[in-house]
Amino acid sequence: GLDNFNDYYDPSLKRARQALLERSGIFIVEGDINDVALLKKLFEVVAFTHVMHLAAQAGVRYAMENPSSYVHSNIAGLVSVLEVCKSANPQPAIVWASSSSVYGLNTKVPFSEKDRTDQPASLYAATKKAGEEIAHTYNHIYGLSLTGLRFFTVYGPWGRPDMAYFFFTRDILKGKSIPIFEAANHGTVARDFTYIDDIVKGCLGALDTAEKSTGSGGKKKGPAQLRVFNLGNTSPVPVSDLVSILERLLKVKAKRSIMKLPRNGDVQFTHANISSAQRELGYKPTTDLQTGLKKFVRWYLSYYGSGKKSAQ
């Protein structure tokens, strides 16, 4: 594994994940994907057959505060990874994280991989869309085998504290009011919440079915695999329902404050058509939101306690 342990959110959570991984025999290198010398060194030490590239600056709203961090991680960082992969011998197959945010302002649902993705609603979405175009280029020129995965609102234990389900849990326990967005004309804001274990199965399915890259020494020998898949749960849930489930699990009434959806990159709804991933990857999500949140809350309470030790 490779991580730069930046402080976009509490690094101690990242360190705790690292300890968990290392107990399972997974070694984590501390470093940055933009450090090309380091990446080259890693490839000299191990002839990697597959690269799972999940590093990115995440979050839709933070892009308005720190746009350059998105360009640095999601565009320059992806190019750094692909540059090292294309020069490696043998070239690895690459599976990487795109995002459901590439569907942007699309109104036709459910979102299908064949839909246009040229109307991003946030800089984050634009960098992920740019990543898909960059992947196309490296596949075309260098014969790199590339599979992009469009994740739909991933949640669960050990997740990101900047995600709504996570900070809702924290704030409900603290008795703080939580913002629930609604679209124009009291429209419902809904998300296709996908439980982490289901996403992991999709990632493994993508690795297992990835074909070998066709280039060597940075030269393409023949056409290589280029794929993109939605990994979602196919049942969008209104955010207000998410809050109701959390209230039941935490046995605390939430203080809801209904607010207009701001124009900061959030879209009204996401809904995945996953027939392609089902067919090609054997992807079949099995965890509904109720079950997944129950597992998350159990983890949250054991990790942070009942809100006394707070999640920053």
Side-chain angles (χ1 to χ4, degrees):
L2 176 69
D3 200 287
N4 69 357
F5 295 94
N6 69 21
D7 61 3
Y8 165 64
Y9 62 77
D10 180 11
S12 71
L13 179 61
K14 304 179 182 188
R15 294 295 179 188
R17 294 192 196 122
Q18 177 185 21
L20 200 64
L21 286 164
E22 298 203 330
R23 283 208 293 280
S24 306
I26 295 166
F27 182 66
I28 308 295
V29 175
E30 187 169 347
D32 196 294
I33 53 169
N34 281 289
D35 182 347
V36 174
L38 170 67
L39 296 188
K40 283 193 169 131
K41 181 67 83 235
L42 295 177
F43 270 89
E44 282 163 23
V45 175
V46 180
F48 299 107
T49 58
H50 295 71
V51 169
M52 181 92 208
H53 172 48
L54 302 170
Q57 174 59 54
V60 162
R61 294 170 209 162
Y62 181 63
M64 296 177 80
E65 293 168 49
N66 188 355
S68 64
S69 67
Y70 288 78
V71 176
H72 181 70
S73 289
N74 304 4
I75 297 179
L78 176 63
V79 170
S80 302
V81 170
L82 295 180
E83 274 295 311
V84 173
C85 290
K86 74 134 213 265
S87 309
N89 256 336
Q91 290 177 340
I94 301 152
V95 176
W96 69 284
S98 182
S99 165
S100 61
S101 69
V102 299
Y103 293 111
L105 303 174
N106 288 10
T107 51
K108 173 194 144 298
V109 289
F111 299 150
S112 154
E113 293 91 347
K114 295 185 181 68
D115 299 342
R116 57 187 283 196
T117 50
D118 56 0
Q119 332 181 60
S122 67
L123 179 66
Y124 169 72
T127 63
K128 285 301 193 178
K129 170 62 175 171
E132 293 188 354
E133 305 302 332
I134 290 165
H136 182 278
T137 310
Y138 275 80
N139 169 270
H140 174 67
I141 299 178
Y142 301 111
L144 282 177
S145 164
L146 278 148
T147 303
L149 302 175
R150 293 174 177 169
F151 297 151
F152 281 72
T153 316
V154 185
Y155 74 98
W158 300 99
R160 280 187 9 235
D162 62 323
M163 299 281 282
Y165 74 93
F166 201 119
F167 64 77
F168 281 178
T169 301
R170 181 190 66 206
D171 291 347
I172 290 170
L173 286 170
K174 282 188 181 164
K176 284 166 67 172
S177 92
I178 59 174
I180 297 174
F181 294 132
E182 60 175 29
N185 308 325
H186 306 293
T188 309
V189 172
R191 291 287 178 270
D192 196 338
F193 295 100
T194 318
Y195 188 61
I196 180 62
D197 293 19
D198 289 329
I199 288 287
V200 168
K201 282 183 211 146
C203 291
L204 294 175
L207 286 169
D208 289 341
T209 55
E211 292 170 5
K212 288 190 157 96
S213 292
T214 61
S216 73
K219 289 202 168 52
K220 179 176 171 180
K221 300 277 196 286
Q225 189 178 46
L226 179 68
R227 309 180 292 174
V228 66
F229 295 108
N230 289 338
L231 293 187
N233 199 43
T234 74
S235 48
V237 177
V239 174
S240 52
D241 291 9
L242 165 81
V243 176
S244 303
I245 296 171
L246 287 174
E247 286 177 321
R248 282 201 299 278
L249 292 169
L250 297 166
K251 303 183 178 57
V252 182
K253 198 95 187 95
K255 295 181 182 147
R256 302 175 183 227
S257 105
I258 307 296
M259 294 159 90
K260 283 240 170 306
L261 189 65
R263 297 193 61 161
N264 62 2
D266 272 316
V267 294
Q268 186 177 344
F269 49 79
T270 60
H271 184 183
N273 172 340
I274 58 166
S275 55
S276 182
Q278 276 170 324
R279 192 175 58 246
E280 305 286 323
L281 311 177
Y283 174 69
K284 204 164 104 247
T286 55
T287 313
D288 62 46
L289 188 58
Q290 180 98 19
T291 310
L293 283 176
K294 194 173 179 176
K295 292 179 177 177
F296 167 72
V297 165
R298 196 179 302 146
W299 169 81
Y300 184 95
L301 295 174
S302 74
Y303 187 82
Y304 291 111
S306 57
K308 307 293 172 280
K309 182 174 103 176
S310 77
Q312 291 312 316

